């Protein structure tokens, strides 16, 4: 992750940036003038509340873009000023809107979803009232950042995922509550992955077992998306009430979940939760392993031992 440093020399302020853009023909009568402000703007969420400043965001994107070779080739005039024109931070300090010099740069910045800023993975996306006026440009090639580990591997896995089109995301997703302090999305993925890879529900041909992890800005809970509904179901029985760093995880289906093939409930989410059974039976793990069948793979005892080792390795990685 890139560090965010207050008062780093050389950080350009809005007026200086606009002067550079105008000089290069990008502000008035240039490419940026042909694009709407909304097309050059992205939403940045999950910020560390009241800790991230405009200066942090400018420096964050400047450092990331300057590691992209194509940015240096196409925008050499922005290497000093950085790609950001304007930053507007929300009143609650948890989100911001960031405007870039061109739509191409804004689209590229969307690739930085889940990069860490001040130790917290950010979320990037388009604003709710954004309406594309035509085909979006392709993002710059950020493969160098992926290879160097600057872009979160969880996000990379999500882009390459293969999922069942008959399953909705909520059917593949689990709510994970009572998280220990300062646990990031990558850490959660590393906790769940080793054990899930040993489950009979895991299909290696579909890619990684964990596709996506969203941690709420409070840091106390999040949502984990698995490669399939069946794998999510098995993981729920394993990880619910597991103790991690002194706290017992709460793992359950998210609000609005309906089993595959079922009609959505018409009840409010709060009432739906009242009918969810508390699946805390420790026999669920043995039941899952029993589906492998005699003579078709490791015995139930062997797999239980492997699972215990995998879960211990995942927890050890947190310490």
């Amino acid at each position: 992750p890139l560090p965010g440093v207050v008062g780093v020399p050389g950080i350009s302020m809005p007026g200086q940036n606009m002067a550079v853009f105008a000089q290069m023909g990008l502000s008035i009568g240039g490419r940026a003038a042909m694009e709407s402000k909304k097309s050059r703007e992205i939403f940045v969420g999950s910020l560390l509340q009241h800790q991230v400043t405009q200066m942090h965001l400018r420096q964050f994107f400047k450092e990331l873009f300057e590691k992209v070779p194509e940015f240096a080739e196409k925008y050499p005039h922005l290497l000093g000023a950085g790609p950001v024109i304007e930053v507007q931070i929300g009143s609650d300090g948890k989100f911001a809107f960031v405007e870039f010099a061109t739509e191409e740069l804004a689209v590229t910045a969307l690739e930085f979803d889940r990069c860490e800023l001040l130790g917290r993975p950010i979320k990037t996306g388009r604003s709710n009232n954004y309406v594309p006026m035509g085909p979006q440009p392709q993002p710059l090639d950020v493969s160098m950042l992926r290879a160097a580990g600057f872009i979160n591997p969880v996000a990379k896995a999500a882009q390459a995922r293969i999922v069942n089109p008959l399953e909705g995301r909520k059917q593949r997703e689990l709510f994970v509550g009572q998280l220990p302090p300062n646990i990031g999305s990558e850490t959660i993925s590393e906790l769940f992955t080793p054990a899930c890879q040993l489950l009979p529900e895991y299909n290696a041909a579909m890619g990684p077992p964990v596709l996506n992890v969203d941690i709420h800005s409070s840091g106390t809970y999040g949502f984990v998306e698995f490669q399939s509904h069946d794998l999510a179901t098995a993981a729920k029985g394993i990880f619910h009430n597991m103790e991690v760093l002194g706290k017992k995880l709460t793992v359950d289906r998210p609000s609005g979940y309906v089993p595959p093939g079922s009609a959505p409930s018409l009840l409010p989410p709060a009432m739906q939760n009242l009918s969810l059974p508390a699946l805390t039976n420790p026999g669920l793990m043995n039941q899952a392993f029993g589906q492998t069948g005699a003579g078709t793979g490791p015995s139930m005892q062997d797999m239980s031992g492997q699972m215990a080792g995998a879960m211990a390795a995942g927890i050890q990685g947190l310490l």
Side-chain angles (χ1 to χ4, degrees):
L2 294 174
V5 182
V6 177
V8 175
I11 297 179
S12 301
M13 300 308 290
Q16 294 172 301
N17 278 22
M18 289 302 295
V20 173
F21 300 143
Q23 182 180 0
M24 300 307 300
L26 290 174
S27 179
I28 301 175
R31 176 165 42 183
M34 298 171 60
E35 301 167 345
S36 70
K37 177 180 173 68
K38 286 294 181 186
S39 70
R40 301 191 304 270
E41 186 179 76
I42 69 167
F43 168 86
V44 181
S46 195
L47 301 178
L48 197 61
Q49 189 173 20
H50 299 311
Q51 300 296 315
V52 176
T53 66
Q54 292 185 12
M55 198 174 292
H56 281 123
L57 285 166
R58 286 178 178 277
Q59 184 70 6
F60 174 75
F61 285 111
K62 179 176 182 291
E63 291 185 16
L64 279 173
F65 272 97
E66 287 182 353
K67 295 181 185 296
V68 177
E70 193 176 357
F71 174 73
E73 295 171 5
K74 299 180 72 172
Y75 299 92
H77 49 282
L78 298 182
L79 290 177
V84 175
I85 292 181
E86 184 180 9
V87 177
Q88 295 180 338
I89 296 182
S91 58
D92 65 358
K94 296 181 180 179
F95 69 91
F97 292 97
V98 181
E99 182 185 357
F100 292 85
T102 68
E103 184 177 9
E104 180 181 45
L105 296 177
V107 171
T108 303
L110 295 174
E111 298 290 308
F112 302 151
D113 186 54
R114 304 189 202 293
C115 285
E116 288 192 5
L117 175 60
L118 295 183
R120 181 188 293 277
I122 64 170
K123 297 179 181 178
T124 61
R126 288 294 195 177
S127 59
N128 290 335
N129 55 356
Y130 166 70
V131 178
M133 303 303 292
Q136 288 192 118
Q138 290 296 311
L140 301 179
D141 182 6
V142 296
S143 58
M144 293 286 290
L145 288 178
R146 294 197 191 283
F150 286 105
I151 294 183
N152 195 311
V154 174
K156 180 181 178 182
Q159 292 177 359
R161 66 190 182 186
I162 302 174
V163 298
N164 185 343
L166 300 180
E167 293 179 353
R169 174 167 179 166
K170 280 191 179 295
Q171 294 169 334
R172 300 188 300 270
E173 197 173 58
L174 292 178
F175 167 86
V176 182
Q178 299 295 314
L179 292 176
N182 302 318
I183 292 294
S185 57
E186 186 172 355
T187 304
I188 292 297
S189 178
E190 291 172 352
L191 172 66
F192 278 75
T193 295
C196 288
Q197 287 176 329
L198 296 177
L199 288 168
E201 290 82 0
Y202 169 59
N203 184 350
M206 294 176 64
V210 175
L211 301 182
N212 197 37
V213 180
D214 283 324
I215 303 294
H216 187 260
S217 58
S218 67
T220 59
Y221 68 90
F223 297 89
V224 180
E225 182 184 1
F226 296 84
Q227 66 171 213
S228 70
H229 169 268
D230 289 345
L231 184 59
T233 301
K236 177 178 179 291
I238 293 170
F239 287 96
H240 181 60
N241 279 335
M242 174 188 286
E243 186 169 324
V244 175
L245 298 180
K247 300 192 71 173
K248 285 189 176 182
L249 299 181
T250 298
V251 181
D252 208 337
R253 291 294 186 179
S255 175
Y257 164 78
V258 292
S262 302
S265 173
L266 299 179
L267 296 176
M271 295 183 67
Q272 295 175 29
N273 289 339
L274 294 177
S275 64
L276 289 175
L279 299 179
T280 58
N281 184 353
L284 286 175
M285 186 187 299
N286 288 335
Q287 180 181 350
F289 289 138
Q291 295 173 358
T292 58
T296 60
S299 69
M300 191 163 55
Q301 291 82 359
D302 290 341
M303 290 190 69
S304 296
Q306 294 176 26
M307 176 65 70
M311 292 167 67
I315 295 175
Q316 183 65 28
L318 302 178
L319 301 178

